[in-house]
Structure formats: C-alpha cells, structure tokens
Amino acid sequence: MAFPTSAPPLAATPEDASSRATVAVPLWVRAWRRFRANRLALLGLGYVVLLLGVALFADHLAPYSPVETFAGMRGRGPSVEHWLGFDHVGRDLLSRLIFGTRAALIVGLGATGIAVTVGVLVGSLSGYFGGWVDLLLSRLVDTLMAFPTLALLIMLAAVLGPSLLTTVTVIGLTSWAAYARVVRADVLSLRERDFVMAAYAGGAKSSHILWHHILPNVLGPVIVLGSLGVGSTIILESALSFLGLGIRPPAPSWGGILSDGRAYILTYPHIAIAPGVLIVLTVLAFNFIGDGLRDALDPRQRG
C-alpha cells in the first residue's frame, strides 16, 4: 500500500482568513476606517476643510473689502446685501470674518507647527540621551510650564509689539513644553526596546536611531496632541487680539472683532456674537478631529 509523501493542506479557518486580511491592509487604511467611523470627527474635518477653503479664497469670497467703511451704516444689523450687518465703524462684518478666518488658521496651524517641532526636538533629545542633557532640558520645560501661559504671552507680545508674525512666533515658542513632555516619556520607553538596542549594537548613529526608529513611533500621540492644540492656539490668539496685543488693527481677526463688539454688546450685539460663534465652532471642530485621531491611531484598536 502506497502512503502519501506529504499531508494535504489544511483548510483555512475563518480566523486565519481574517488574520491574513488584517495583515494585508495597510495601517493607514485601517486608521482611516476607524476615523471615518467617528461621525463627529468627520463633521469636524469637513468644517475645517471648509475653513481652509474660505481662508485660501478669501479675496474672492468676501463681498467687500474688510477695511472699507460705509458712511451712515455704523452698527447696522443684517440685511440682504450685508448678511451679518456692519461693525461699530461701518465695515461689512461678513467680509471681516472671512479675512479673519485666514488669520486664525495661520496662527493656529503656524504656531502649533512651531510648538510641535520644538517640543519633539527637545523631548527626543532629553529622553534619548538622558543624564545631564535630560536634567537640563527637563528643568527648562518645568520653568516654562511654571509661568501662566497667557501672562507670558501678554508680556512678550507687549515687548515685541502686535503683529501677525509676532503672534505666531510668541505662541509657538511658549507652548511647546507639553509636546516635549509627551515625547520624552515615549522616548524613555522606546530606547529600551529590542529594535532600538539592535540598531545601536549594529553601529547605527544616534541621529539615525532617533530619526528612523524612535521618532516614527512617537508621531501618533504628537499628531493627536497637535490637533487638539490648534483649538487652544486659536483661543490664545483671540485672547491676545481681544486685549489689543495680537494682530494689529485694522487687519481683521476674530479676537479683534470680538473686542470691537465688547463695548456695544447691548446696542449692537451681532458684532460680538458672530466671531464668538466662529471661535466656538472652530475649537470644537479641532477637538472632534483630535478625538477621532486618538481612536484611529490607538494601536489597541483593530479592524
């Protein structure tokens, strides 16, 4: 009797097929699926994309110049020609809000980009090298976080003078400490992992290990924290402009328009209501995106 030389292949079980399908799907595709399942995150993303479009094409979307004054229209309410009415000096409020969107996103994204860059650099160096480098950079982070953020911003903005560039730079260089702490904690854990030790034993330089092995593994939490930080940055810019230390008038900004309407809240309430609603909606949108990214990039999630 002849015996088979090899056993027939086993039938694939549903679990094996599911496992192969999970491995075959790229990580970013699975992350997008999880993000897409969060309706609030999608809603926030759609709103932010709309704001980006408004900011990019503000010159074409604004019906009037943001600094043009209409005689005799001071504080007038909404009408067919002017949907949101006029501000306290007779400028079209809708046009000023449209151009203020550009300023808000420049500050929000620009300052957050600076903060993330500095925070990742400081946190990665502190966590990877340890010793006196970690001690020095950690004390720097602790010192920066010891100051009240708004008070530090007001002091620096008053010294440097109000402008868009000053606002972006000052907010970015005073809000990186939180990112540095998160990155440092992750790097302290990652530098003891086997793949990092193997790269080090293979003769890889510290710069190569940081750039190719450690930083890619800390980007997930940083992206989530950065998306949440954009909303906080917009609030800080609005606070500085509200106090007259942000973007220099007559250039429109949401905080500046809100400050203009403060003295007329009882007589011309629409001046303060419109920018206030925009600030709230924008901060909520970025928070929704941050929550969606946190769930999408969580390695414990599957599918």
Side-chain angles (χ1 to χ4, degrees):
M1 180 180 296
F3 294 95
T5 57
S6 60
L10 296 176
T13 63
E15 291 78 6
D16 295 334
S18 175
S19 176
R20 286 197 300 270
T22 301
V23 173
V25 178
L27 291 176
W28 69 268
V29 174
R30 285 186 282 161
W32 167 247
R33 289 175 179 174
R34 293 193 292 267
F35 183 87
R36 189 175 57 187
N38 190 325
R39 294 185 177 181
L40 287 178
L42 277 183
L43 181 63
L45 180 61
Y47 179 80
V48 170
V49 170
L50 176 62
L51 285 183
L52 288 172
V54 170
L56 289 174
F57 301 102
D59 298 292
H60 304 285
L61 295 176
Y64 305 96
S65 169
V67 296
E68 180 183 0
T69 302
F70 294 82
M73 303 302 290
R74 178 175 179 268
R76 292 291 183 89
S79 63
V80 177
E81 294 82 9
H82 303 271
W83 293 356
L84 295 179
F86 299 85
D87 67 1
H88 64 300
V89 295
R91 295 171 296 196
D92 183 71
L93 192 57
L94 176 60
S95 300
R96 290 185 62 77
L97 289 174
I98 288 175
F99 277 91
T101 302
R102 177 180 293 176
L105 291 183
I106 289 176
V107 174
L109 298 177
T112 302
I114 294 174
V116 168
T117 302
V118 177
V120 169
L121 177 62
V122 172
S124 58
L125 293 176
S126 177
Y128 181 77
F129 290 105
W132 67 268
V133 176
D134 183 29
L135 180 63
L136 179 63
L137 294 179
S138 295
R139 296 296 78 78
L140 177 62
V141 171
D142 293 340
T143 302
L144 182 60
M145 297 190 73
F147 286 96
T149 303
L150 186 56
L152 184 60
L153 286 175
I154 291 173
M155 180 187 70
L156 293 176
V159 172
L160 299 176
S163 69
L164 178 60
L165 179 60
T166 297
T167 303
V168 173
T169 305
V170 167
I171 295 178
L173 293 180
T174 56
S175 56
W176 55 264
Y179 302 97
R181 278 199 164 182
V182 171
V183 172
R184 175 184 177 273
D186 286 345
V187 171
L188 283 174
S189 173
L190 288 170
R191 72 177 186 178
E192 305 297 334
R193 300 287 183 88
D194 292 339
F195 65 92
V196 175
M197 301 301 294
Y200 182 78
K205 295 182 179 180
S206 297
S207 58
H208 178 85
I209 295 174
L210 279 171
W211 185 255
H212 291 90
H213 297 282
I214 292 181
L215 288 183
N217 288 282
V218 303
L219 287 182
V222 170
I223 291 173
V224 174
L225 192 60
S227 62
L228 293 171
V230 173
S232 302
T233 302
I234 291 176
I235 291 179
L236 289 175
E237 181 276 325
S238 300
L240 286 178
S241 297
F242 184 84
L243 296 172
L245 297 172
I247 299 173
R248 188 188 300 273
S253 69
W254 292 348
I257 299 172
L258 188 63
S259 178
D260 294 338
R262 173 186 53 178
Y264 306 95
I265 190 65
L266 297 180
T267 54
Y268 310 132
H270 64 281
I271 300 177
I273 290 174
V277 170
L278 276 178
I279 292 171
V280 170
L281 292 178
T282 304
V283 173
L284 280 176
F286 278 106
N287 286 346
F288 289 154
I289 293 174
D291 290 339
L293 288 174
R294 181 182 57 198
D295 296 336
L297 299 176
D298 188 350
R300 293 171 296 181
Q301 299 287 340
R302 295 290 183 267

